[in-house]
Amino acid sequence: DVVLTQTPPTLLATIGQSVSISCRSSQSLLHSNGNTYLNWLLQRTGQSPQPLIYLVSKLESGVPNRFSGSGSGTDFTLKISGVEAEDLGVYYCMQFTHYPLTFGSGTKLEIK
Amino acid sequence: EVQLVETGGGLVRPGSSLKLSCATSGFTFSNTWMNWVRQAPGKGLEWVALIKDKYSNYEANYAESVKGRFTISRDDSKSRVYLQMNTLRDQDTATYYCTRRYRYNPFAYWGQGTLVTVSS
């Protein structure tokens, strides 16, 4: 199975600070069709997860452009440029290049 | 508006069975791949099962942890997806979410989840 390792497990940020979350895969996520199926999700406390980014860097509809994704192969990054209070929660990367679909262990973003 | 509503959770004994249901609306269900994802209390997300649409012959895939015990199915006439769970174990205790695939995201839409507790 593909293992996705997220770091850091916890992130403490002030409002307006820029932060990054790393997601490293145990295998390349480049599919034979040329797509890289690496997505990011956010789960706020007590809520269902919601999608943020798909195909490494494409923002889902309605997601603020302070969120950005980058990376390729096995190394990926989610960046928040100017954290806002509503951004707190747990961020997950996930992949569906390979079966079984797998998630990272999550990064909890806390606001100072 | 896309809606996914899971039902069927509850408290069951180890070794027993339970069937979850996910009622959907707001999109064309018959040509959509659907998933079940679970989350144990205080833990992360775990993909459970996927069922493709009729154009992919309703192919199903499962996580190794549930293979042979869980069965995903769908009823396109009712826009519902199901998860039959047999031989339940303590480790199956989790909130189970139904998710809809949209474009390049298998988890583009989520229900509110239904809690399954397996305990003696």
Side-chain angles (χ1 to χ4, degrees):
Chain A
D1 295 2
V2 173
V3 176
L4 298 177
T5 302
Q6 281 185 240
T7 55
T10 305
L11 204 45
L12 198 56
T14 56
I15 301 299
Q17 181 182 353
S18 292
V19 299
S20 293
I21 300 170
S22 170
C23 177
R24 290 190 169 173
S25 174
S26 61
Q27 300 177 36
S28 174
L29 299 184
L30 177 62
H31 194 276
S32 55
N33 65 12
N35 288 327
T36 299
Y37 297 109
L38 186 284
N39 294 1
W40 291 91
L41 305 92
L42 165 62
Q43 186 175 29
R44 297 188 174 98
T45 302
Q47 296 187 18
S48 302
Q50 61 184 87
L52 292 176
I53 287 174
Y54 64 99
L55 291 179
V56 179
S57 61
K58 300 183 186 302
L59 260 59
E60 290 281 356
S61 175
V63 174
N65 59 14
R66 63 179 179 274
F67 290 91
S68 62
S70 63
S72 63
T74 60
D75 287 343
F76 304 92
T77 301
L78 173 70
K79 182 177 181 180
I80 310 173
S81 300
V83 168
E84 298 191 5
E86 66 181 16
D87 298 337
L88 67 90
V90 181
Y91 290 81
Y92 294 95
C93 58
M94 63 81 49
Q95 68 80 28
F96 59 106
T97 297
H98 307 282
Y99 281 104
L101 285 65
T102 51
F103 292 88
S105 54
T107 294
K108 187 174 185 178
L109 175 61
E110 298 176 332
I111 308 297
K112 284 182 187 175
Chain B
E1 180 192 5
V2 172
Q3 288 197 324
L4 307 171
V5 180
E6 304 95 334
T7 55
L11 173 62
V12 296
R13 304 292 190 204
S16 61
S17 298
L18 200 60
K19 187 173 184 176
L20 305 182
S21 177
C22 173
T24 76
S25 61
F27 63 99
T28 305
F29 181 81
S30 61
N31 62 7
T32 301
W33 296 12
M34 300 293 295
N35 289 271
W36 286 95
V37 175
R38 68 184 181 182
Q39 186 171 36
K43 302 296 184 182
L45 301 168
E46 179 188 17
W47 170 74
V48 173
L50 155 74
I51 187 164
K52 299 181 180 179
D53 59 21
K54 59 185 175 183
Y55 304 105
S56 299
N57 297 315
Y58 300 115
E59 178 185 341
N61 288 275
Y62 299 91
E64 201 61 38
S65 59
V66 307
K67 199 174 291 185
R69 299 188 299 123
F70 290 12
T71 302
I72 188 171
S73 62
R74 61 192 294 158
D75 185 335
D76 289 351
S77 68
K78 294 182 178 178
S79 298
R80 284 179 179 257
V81 61
Y82 305 96
L83 187 67
Q84 176 67 47
M85 304 185 294
N86 298 331
T87 320
L88 282 161
R89 306 167 178 167
D90 292 352
Q91 310 93 292
D92 296 318
T93 293
T95 295
Y96 285 73
Y97 295 99
C98 165
T99 75
R100 173 206 171 192
R101 172 179 165 164
Y102 181 67
R103 294 182 180 171
Y104 295 103
N105 193 342
F107 311 125
Y109 296 88
W110 295 67
Q112 85 289 348
T114 186
L115 178 62
V116 173
T117 303
V118 184
S119 175
S120 54

